[in-house]
């Protein structure tokens, strides 16, 4: 019998930009080190993601030591962005949450504006230990999250994607498949499970780091966005609506909350604790 194993790690330095593959990462209480510590906001101080601007999929950010970035995109020069001085924060709205953030230098705003044709500002989460609590319906007091949608990590399983793609192939939009895992923007990918086995997990360990499996991940229009071309289709939401609907939620993947800290590495065993 094949045992589950960690097959991929993905860090997203800027929310909704291209993910960075890595062989190992440090698990912090609020997520992987460097994951989603930056995001874009609009003129009304609200978060901007691929939901509004699919072209964000074509932009990338590489992490620098100390948390700075190198921004890259088609048709323009890269830009290095330093971590801003946290002395002055401004309020931002991240879905239902109000979060204090620190604005990057104006050159970063201009860089994104030139690539996106939209007025946006790049902001940084200076203090993840207390800026944004996780929804208390799922978390313990004091647990926090970065700029991720709601939880510190997102886990997906390769066998579940394979099964989903087989269902897409039987549907009205079969030409859109097979879909790559990048559509789902996970932090950790697990191989060696049965399809949808992750639905029954409550606690797991990746290597020596334990996690609680908080709740399934409800999927949105971002999953229909080609992460290379930024074009939108119908899948996987059409197929998820037929086969993975619970109420109004179309589910793929599981949200994780760390029960400890430490390093995880590709190839680590994934143990089911409950």
């Amino acid at each position: 019998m094949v045992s589950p194993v960690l097959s991929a790690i993905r860090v997203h330095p800027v929310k909704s930009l291209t993910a960075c593959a890595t062989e190992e990462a440090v698990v912090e209480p609020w997520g992987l080190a460097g994951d989603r510590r930056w995001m874009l906001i609009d003129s009304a101080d609200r978060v901007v993601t691929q939901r509004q601007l699919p072209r964000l999929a074509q932009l990338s950010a590489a992490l620098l030591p100390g948390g700075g970035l190198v921004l890259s995109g088609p048709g323009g020069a890269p830009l290095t962005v330093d971590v801003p001085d946290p002395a002055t924060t401004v309020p931002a709205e991240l879905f239902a949450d109000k979060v204090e953030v620190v604005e990057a230098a104006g050159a970063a705003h201009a860089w994104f504006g030139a690539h996106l044709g939209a007025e946006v500002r790049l902001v940084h989460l200076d203090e993840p230990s207390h800026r944004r609590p996780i929804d208390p319906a799922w978390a313990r007091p004091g647990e926090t999250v970065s700029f991720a949608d709601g939880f510190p990590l997102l886990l997906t399983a390769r066998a579940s994607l394979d099964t989903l793609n087989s269902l897409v192939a039987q549907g009205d939009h079969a030409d859109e498949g097979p879909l790559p895992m990048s559509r789902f923007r996970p932090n950790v990918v697990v191989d060696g499970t049965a399809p949808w086995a992750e639905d029954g997990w409550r606690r797991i360990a990746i290597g020596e780091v334990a996690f609680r499996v908080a709740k399934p991940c409800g999927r949105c229009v971002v999953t229909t966005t080609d992460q290379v071309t930024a074009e939108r289709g119908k899948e996987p939401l059409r197929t998820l609506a037929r086969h993975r609907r619970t109420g109004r939620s179309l589910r793929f993947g599981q949200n994780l909350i760390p029960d400890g800290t430490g390093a995880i590495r590709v190839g680590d065993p994934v143990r089911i604790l409950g």
Side-chain angles (χ1 to χ4, degrees):
M1 180 177 179
V2 177
S3 298
V5 63
L6 180 62
S7 60
I9 302 172
R10 300 286 186 267
V11 175
H12 308 78
V14 180
K15 185 177 181 67
S16 262
L17 269 61
T18 300
C20 299
T22 183
E23 289 295 303
E24 64 180 272
V26 173
V27 178
E28 298 176 331
W30 39 83
L32 297 183
D35 188 66
R36 296 176 172 97
R37 290 287 295 276
W38 300 80
M39 71 176 182
L40 295 171
I41 59 175
D42 62 16
S43 59
D45 303 327
R46 294 185 295 252
V47 64
V48 175
T49 73
Q50 288 185 36
R51 294 167 176 84
Q52 299 86 17
L53 295 175
R55 281 187 293 169
L56 287 172
Q58 297 180 303
L59 305 180
S60 63
L63 274 174
L64 295 173
L69 304 171
V70 177
L71 302 174
S72 302
L79 178 72
T80 298
V81 180
D82 295 328
V83 174
D85 184 344
T88 303
T89 63
V90 298
E93 186 176 329
L94 177 49
F95 307 132
D97 298 331
K98 305 291 186 180
V99 187
E100 290 294 315
V101 300
V102 186
E103 284 197 41
H109 311 336
W111 188 92
F112 278 105
H115 278 278
L116 299 170
E119 182 183 344
V120 295
R121 289 173 288 152
L122 180 66
V123 298
H124 182 251
L125 181 64
D126 66 313
E127 185 42 79
S129 66
H130 63 264
R131 292 284 188 216
R132 188 178 175 224
I134 303 172
D135 184 338
W138 306 100
R140 296 168 181 163
E143 291 183 322
T144 61
V145 60
S146 64
F147 289 147
D149 278 3
F151 294 88
L153 283 86
L154 174 63
L155 174 148
T156 57
R158 183 71 56 187
S160 298
L161 178 61
D162 291 344
T163 298
L164 178 62
N165 275 325
S166 71
L167 294 170
V168 169
Q170 300 167 28
D172 296 335
H173 300 279
D175 59 317
E176 293 187 25
L179 305 175
M181 191 66 85
S182 59
R183 290 286 188 99
F184 301 93
R185 303 183 63 77
N187 293 113
V188 290
V189 181
V190 177
D191 281 11
T193 71
W196 317 120
E198 64 275 19
D199 288 350
W201 300 347
R202 296 296 173 263
R203 293 187 68 246
I204 66 170
I206 301 175
E208 298 305 315
V209 184
F211 301 86
R212 302 193 316 278
V213 183
K215 66 186 290 287
C217 184
R219 309 315 306 215
C220 70
V221 70
V222 171
T223 60
T224 69
T225 306
D226 187 306
Q227 296 295 297
V228 176
T229 68
E231 296 177 355
R232 287 230 167 109
K234 301 295 185 182
E235 294 293 0
L237 293 187
R238 288 290 180 90
T239 298
L240 290 174
R242 292 197 303 272
H243 298 280
R244 296 286 296 170
R245 179 191 290 274
T246 302
R248 297 179 63 183
S249 180
L250 310 182
R251 298 182 169 191
F252 187 89
Q254 296 287 335
N255 292 296
L256 305 182
I257 301 175
D259 266 344
T261 59
I264 58 173
R265 300 171 179 84
V266 170
D268 277 349
V270 177
R271 293 176 289 130
I272 316 307
L273 305 179

